[in-house]
Every structure is written in structure tokens, then in C-alpha cells.
């Protein structure tokens, strides 16, 4: 039995019931998942692949898992798509991307092998072509090798290719380090997918944005160009960045002739505890959709009883407004609304529950109106023992998420803060909740905070608390899939 078939049989036999996994967020059928890969449209359906180790709930030799959707809410699990079964990817099929072509569905990924002395690895870019279910690695692999990089650029940190086609030419950006071991994004071009040429450095950390830049993505949006990447080893900078692994974006203008990108940034993509390695795709209707791994390398945890580990964010629509990237939940979620509950101009003074405002799979919008108070608190997934707390501090204009009492049994990060953007005396909070996650969109997606929770599902309450007196507007929909 070959390595890929072994993985497919294992996931078939050991598949975890969907009843104990999130309702409408992508999770692995069994085992471990991290970065989203190959996020692309093929034959009218959206395909999402991901870094995948089916045999344990920890990182292992990387495969590619695979799921397909037509609406971002209902996902169909497909057999594992790639496994480390060739000499050029024997240590793993690392992250990459996908694109629809006349030859089929093309996946571009990083193949990893050991150095001859066994002390390090070599990373090169490879291609597999398939029909949406089965994929075959091409004989010409690797199509882009580290030897094509300028002298001094890292062959060991050279990964995560993102492919697109423009004016008849294929392009790839990939993460890399220069001779000073500083993060950068390198650019390649090809007319036929098989013969690639190095075109230069698209962007560079300049020594002050982490180290290695992982999972780059580059695209045009609303008359601008956006570069997304995930720098490792960043230091905290106020509320904009946190220590460790971050995901950031640059916003600017791209000169196609010189292949140069002039930009401002970096800016944080998500201020929550769990967000990394985002990837986007362009939909046929023109929307740019982003999905990310809802996890952080520095706070990996899950209950010991789980036979799966790792969640993707709910897909988000991207727009540029006032020179910043705005994120909103994909509108298809509205097709699954039920049990609508609305409150208008309700007073919160002290603590208060509202009839019908509860649950663990819902879209909950709360508008906080002007009032006399210092802090306003919302406890989600609450019962007599557990809760995840959202605190809005009006005086400091800070929004805070705190999962300390969500059922944590590991000493990992639990609190994260961001600027709230209190405007004209009001602030809008929208929570997309699934069984194991809370994604908070502040002021229509100007700021987003993503948090994973493993609170027992019997904790369903939503408690509102104010240390003064305010009025709120609340709109809630249960999500039924």
C-alpha cells in the first residue's frame, strides 16, 4: 500500500463523528490540521486543502487534507490529496496554493527533503495536477529549486508558494530568508507552469518585522494591491502586534512592468489569540475571500480526549475602506439563519440575561449606545462554571477577549487586547460563534479577534454586564446546518 492510500484508509476507518466537531467551521476528519492550502475555485466549487497529519493530534509528516464547498458553510470531506511519497518531498508536502487551468486543477506546494548530512532540510516548489479528487505529481518536479535563488538566499527557508495568472503569465510568490536571515517574499514567473524564472524580491522585512515570512499572498483589491504574510518571531508592539507568530498585511501599489511593490505597513490582520497563515481566493463574482488557521503555534492545546485538532476560521470577505483592510463573514452564512431574536434600546445596568439570547452556534450582533459607564462586559458560552469574556473599556477605547475560564487546563495565552474604535459614542460587536470558537468583528470588520475555546457545550448562556447604565441593540440568529 502506498503512503497516500494508507492515509486515505486511515481517515476512513478513524473518522471522528461530525457531532463532536464544530458545526460550520472546517476541521480535520481525524488527526491534526494547520495552514490552509490550495484555496481555489475549480469547476465551480471552492476547494480548501490544509496541512494534515491524520495519525495523531500533533504535527507530523505533512500531507494535504481536502474539503470542498459550494457556500462556505457546508463542507464535503474528500480523500487526502497529497502525501510525502517522493524523493523530493520525503520529509513533507508543505504549504502551497491551487489554480484552475486547462490542464486541470494545479496544486503548487513545497517539497521538503533532508540535507545530505541529515542536519537540515531543503525546500523546493513542486506541482501536482488533478481532477478535483485525485492528484498526480508531475515528473518535472521540483519546478522551482533553491538553486534558482540568488547567492546567499536560504534554501532551507524557501516555502509556501502562492500562484496566480495574469495577462497570460503565471506568477508565484514564496516566503524566504536573505543572507542576513531576514524575512522576504520572492517572485517567480512562467509562461507554461513548468519553466520558471526568478524575478526579484517583492517585499522585505528590513530587519524589523519578525524573521522568516511564511505563507505570502499577493493580490489586487479595490484599486490597490495587498501583500499578506505571516512573520515568525515578532516582538509585541503596543496593541498592533503580539509576541511570536503574527499575520500581517501591506497595502500599496504594484508596478507590473518593473514588478515592484511600494506599500505601507505592516498592519495586523487579526488581533485575537488564534489566527495564522491566511490564504485568499478570488470568487467568480469578484469577491476576495480569506480563510486562516484558527490557532497559534505558541498556544497549541486541546482536550486530551479529542481525536482531532485544528480549526479554520469562517471564510471572510475582504474589502478596502479608508486605506485599511476590512473583513466580514462570508454572506452565505445568512442562508442558515433561524430563530431570529431582536431587542431595541434595552437598558443594561448591572448584569442581565435576555430571553432567547443564548447558544453555541450563532451570529450575534450587539450595538452599544452612548451611556454613562466605564466597562461593558459580555460573557459567552457561560454557565455556573465556564465563560469566555469580552470587555469593552470605554475610557481606554480597548476591546479585550479573555478565555481564562473557558475550560483551560494548559498555561497558554488567554487574554488579548486591541483598539476598539469607539465612534460617535457607539460601538458595534458581531460574534460568529461555533461550538469551539468565537470570532469577533468590531465596527463592521475594521478589527477582528479570533479565539478558540473548548468549553463544554452545555455552557450556553450570554450575560451582559455594565458598571454604569447604557442601552443596547441586539440581533441574534441561530445557525442550523
Amino acid at each position: 500500500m502506498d503512503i497516500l492510500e494508507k492515509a486515505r484508509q486511515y481517515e476512513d476507518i478513524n473518522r471522528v463523528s461530525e457531532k463532536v466537531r464544530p458545526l460550520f467551521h472546517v476541521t480535520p476528519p481525524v488527526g491534526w490540521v494547520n495552514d490552509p492550502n490550495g484555496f481555489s475555485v475549480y469547476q465551480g466549487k471552492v476547494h480548501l486543502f490544509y496541512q494534515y497529519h491524520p495519525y495523531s493530534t500533533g504535527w507530523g509528516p505533512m500531507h494535504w487534507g481536502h474539503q470542498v464547498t459550494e457556500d462556505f458553510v457546508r463542507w464535503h470531506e474528500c480523500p487526502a490529496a497529497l502525501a510525502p511519497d517522493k524523493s523530493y518531498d520525503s520529509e513533507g508536502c508543505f504549504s502551497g496554493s491551487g489554480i484552475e487551468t486547462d490542464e486541470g486543477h494545479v496544486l503548487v506546494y513545497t517539497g521538503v527533503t533532508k540535507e545530505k548530512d541529515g542536519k537540515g532540510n531543503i525546500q523546493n516548489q513542486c506541482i501536482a495536477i488533478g481532477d478535483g479528487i485525485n492528484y498526480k505529481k508531475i515528473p518535472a518536479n521540483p519546478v522551482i529549486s533553491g538553486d534558482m535563488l540568488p547567492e546567499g538566499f536560504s534554501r532551507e527557508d524557501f516555502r509556501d508558494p502562492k500562484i496566480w495568472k495574469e495577462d497570460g503569465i503565471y506568477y508565484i510568490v514564496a516566503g524566504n530568508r536573505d543572507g542576513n536571515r531576514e524575512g522576504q517574499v520572492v517572485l517567480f514567473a512562467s509562461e507554461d507552469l513548468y519553466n520558471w524564472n526568478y524575478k526579484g524580491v517583492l517585499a522585505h522585512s528590513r530587519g524589523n518585522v519578525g524573521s522568516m515570512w511564511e505563507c505570502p499572498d499577493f493580490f489586487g483589491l479595490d484599486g490597490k494591491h495587498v501583500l499578506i504574510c505571516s512573520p515568525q518571531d515578532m516582538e509585541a508592539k503596543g496593541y498592533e502586534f503580539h509576541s511570536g507568530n503574527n499575520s500581517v498585511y501591506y497595502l500599496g501599489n504594484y508596478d507590473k512592468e518593473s514588478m515592484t511593490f511600494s506599500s505601507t505597513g505592516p498592519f495586523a490582520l487579526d488581533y485575537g489569540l488564534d489566527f495564522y497563515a491566511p490564504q485568499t481566493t478570488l470568487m467568480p463574482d469578484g469577491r476576495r475571500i480569506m480563510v486562516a488557521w484558527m490557532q497559534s503555534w505558541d498556544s497549541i492545546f486541546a482536550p486530551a480526549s479529542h481525536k482531532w485538532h485544528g480549526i479554520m476560521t469562517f471564510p471572510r470577505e475582504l474589502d478596502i475602506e479608508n486605506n485599511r483592510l476590512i473583513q466580514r463573514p462570508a454572506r452565505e452564512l445568512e442562508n442558515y439563519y433561524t430563530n431570529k431574536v431582536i431587542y431595541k434600546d434595552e437598558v443594561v445596568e448591572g448584569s442581565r440575561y435576555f430571553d432567547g439570547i443564548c447558544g453555541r452556534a450563532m451570529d450575534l450582533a450587539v450595538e452599544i449606545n452612548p451611556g454613562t459607564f466605564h466597562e461593558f462586559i459580555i460573557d459567552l458560552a457561560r454557565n455556573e462554571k465556564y465563560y469566555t469574556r469580552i470587555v469593552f473599556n470605554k475610557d481606554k477605547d480597548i476591546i479585550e477577549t479573555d478565555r481564562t475560564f473557558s475550560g483551560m487546563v494548559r498555561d497558554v495565552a488567554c487574554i488579548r487586547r486591541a483598539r476598539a474604535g469607539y465612534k460617535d459614542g457607539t460601538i458595534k460587536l458581531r460574534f460568529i460563534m461555533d461550538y469551539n470558537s468565537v470570532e469577533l468583528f468590531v465596527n463592521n470588520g475594521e478589527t477582528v479577534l479570533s479565539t478558540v475555546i473548548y468549553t463544554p457545550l452545555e455552557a450556553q448562556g450570554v450575560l451582559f454586564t455594565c458598571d454604569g447604565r447604557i442601552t443596547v441593540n441586539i440581533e441574534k440568529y441561530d445557525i442550523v446546518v
Side-chain angles (χ1 to χ4, degrees):
M1 184 185 304
D2 64 30
I3 296 175
L4 179 59
E5 184 59 29
K6 178 184 176 183
R8 288 180 165 188
Q9 288 196 15
Y10 185 88
E11 63 186 2
D12 277 344
I13 295 171
N14 295 279
R15 179 171 274 101
V16 179
S17 170
E18 293 183 356
K19 295 180 180 180
V20 296
R21 292 154 55 193
L23 188 64
F24 56 96
H25 286 70
V26 170
T27 55
V30 65
W32 164 275
V33 61
N34 56 286
D35 305 358
N37 298 157
F39 192 33
S40 54
V41 178
Y42 179 67
Q43 295 184 341
K45 296 182 179 181
V46 178
H47 292 251
L48 178 63
F49 304 81
Y50 41 81
Q51 293 287 273
Y52 179 42
H53 184 243
Y55 305 111
S56 75
T57 55
W59 192 93
M62 284 291 95
H63 299 56
W64 275 34
H66 183 197
Q67 297 191 31
V68 176
T69 187
E70 295 185 21
D71 64 7
F72 300 119
V73 178
R74 292 183 182 271
W75 292 87
H76 172 70
E77 293 174 355
C78 301
L82 299 177
D85 55 10
K86 301 294 184 182
S87 60
Y88 49 78
D89 62 18
S90 58
E91 296 300 310
C93 299
F94 279 18
S95 290
S97 54
I99 189 171
E100 185 169 28
T101 75
D102 292 339
E103 298 186 47
H105 197 197
V106 172
L107 307 182
V108 187
Y109 70 98
T110 298
V112 184
T113 59
K114 283 284 188 184
E115 291 269 19
K116 291 181 179 179
D117 61 9
K119 295 182 179 180
N121 65 52
I122 298 173
Q123 299 180 352
N124 298 308
Q125 316 318 319
C126 306
I127 283 178
I129 303 178
D131 59 5
I133 295 294
N134 298 300
Y135 294 83
K136 185 176 181 179
K137 299 171 185 177
I138 66 172
N141 280 334
V143 294
I144 302 176
S145 68
D147 294 336
M148 298 168 64
L149 293 168
E151 186 68 27
F153 286 19
S154 176
R155 273 66 170 164
E156 182 174 355
D157 288 313
F158 175 38
R159 57 185 175 269
D160 311 336
K162 177 61 189 291
I163 189 171
W164 76 96
K165 190 177 185 180
E166 190 171 359
D167 298 330
I169 303 296
Y170 293 100
Y171 296 92
I172 278 177
V173 288
N176 187 232
R177 289 203 210 202
D178 69 5
N180 295 318
R181 297 189 62 76
E182 295 179 352
Q184 60 183 7
V185 173
V186 291
L187 177 66
F188 292 83
S190 172
E191 295 182 358
D192 61 5
L193 285 172
Y194 303 101
N195 298 285
W196 293 85
N197 295 301
Y198 171 76
K199 293 298 181 180
V201 175
L202 185 70
H204 193 283
S205 71
R206 306 299 176 198
N208 59 9
V209 187
S211 57
M212 174 62 183
W213 279 10
E214 295 194 305
C215 303
D217 198 345
F218 188 61
F219 52 90
L221 182 66
D222 297 337
K224 296 285 188 179
H225 266 77
V226 180
L227 173 67
I228 288 174
C229 62
S230 293
Q232 297 177 315
D233 308 317
M234 288 187 69
E235 294 183 356
K237 296 181 181 180
Y239 296 111
E240 190 66 14
F241 306 113
H242 56 85
S243 299
N245 298 276
N246 282 249
S247 294
V248 305
Y249 73 94
Y250 292 80
L251 183 63
N253 298 297
Y254 177 59
D255 187 310
K256 295 181 182 178
E257 296 300 320
S258 63
M259 298 185 186
T260 56
F261 178 52
S262 57
S263 65
T264 57
F267 308 103
L269 266 172
D270 190 294
Y271 295 80
L273 289 156
D274 297 294
F275 186 93
Y276 194 68
Q279 188 171 107
T280 73
T281 192
L282 181 63
M283 295 295 291
D285 62 9
R287 288 181 296 162
R288 177 66 61 170
I289 304 293
M290 180 179 72
V291 67
W293 182 39
M294 197 158 26
Q295 183 64 77
S296 167
W297 285 112
D298 297 312
S299 60
I300 293 173
F301 75 100
S305 60
H306 276 215
K307 295 183 179 180
W308 61 272
H309 188 283
I311 311 173
M312 297 296 167
T313 62
F314 185 73
R316 302 172 184 178
E317 300 181 13
L318 301 183
D319 294 288
I320 296 174
E321 297 177 7
N322 299 319
N323 289 314
R324 65 187 298 174
L325 201 61
I326 304 299
Q327 306 171 51
R328 299 183 178 94
R331 64 194 67 174
E332 285 84 351
L333 187 63
E334 298 171 11
N335 297 327
Y336 294 86
Y337 283 176
T338 188
N339 299 330
K340 179 180 180 179
V341 179
I342 291 181
Y343 289 91
K344 292 288 187 181
D345 297 322
E346 289 287 336
V347 173
V348 178
E349 191 172 13
S351 293
R352 180 179 177 183
Y353 289 99
F354 290 87
D355 289 342
I357 307 297
C358 60
R360 290 290 291 275
M362 63 180 172
D363 187 339
L364 171 66
V366 180
E367 183 176 18
I368 304 169
N369 298 315
T372 304
F373 71 102
H374 301 289
E375 284 192 341
F376 179 73
I377 297 171
I378 303 175
D379 288 347
L380 303 166
R382 182 182 177 90
N383 63 9
E384 67 280 359
K385 182 176 182 180
Y386 301 111
Y387 60 85
T388 293
R389 176 160 290 179
I390 312 298
V391 180
F392 169 54
N393 186 301
K394 184 183 71 172
D395 301 333
K396 296 180 180 179
D397 192 29
I398 295 296
I399 196 82
E400 174 185 287
T401 63
D402 184 352
R403 66 179 177 197
T404 303
F405 300 100
S406 66
M408 301 291 296
V409 294
R410 292 288 181 268
D411 185 19
V412 300
C414 288
I415 297 174
R416 190 62 51 78
R417 302 180 181 94
R419 292 291 177 190
Y422 193 44
K423 297 179 180 179
D424 302 321
T426 65
I427 185 170
K428 297 178 180 180
L429 309 178
R430 182 182 178 187
F431 302 91
I432 303 299
M433 287 192 67
D434 203 344
Y435 298 160
N436 298 114
S437 61
V438 178
E439 292 169 90
L440 169 57
F441 298 80
V442 182
N443 290 332
N444 298 314
E446 291 183 357
T447 301
V448 188
L449 300 95
S450 300
T451 304
V452 169
I453 60 173
Y454 291 105
T455 311
L457 291 182
E458 58 265 25
Q460 300 269 327
V462 178
L463 178 65
F464 298 83
T465 301
C466 182
D467 63 2
R469 186 180 191 276
I470 61 168
T471 63
V472 297
N473 301 323
I474 304 172
E475 185 171 344
K476 186 225 69 171
Y477 301 88
D478 291 333
I479 308 299
V480 176
V481 178

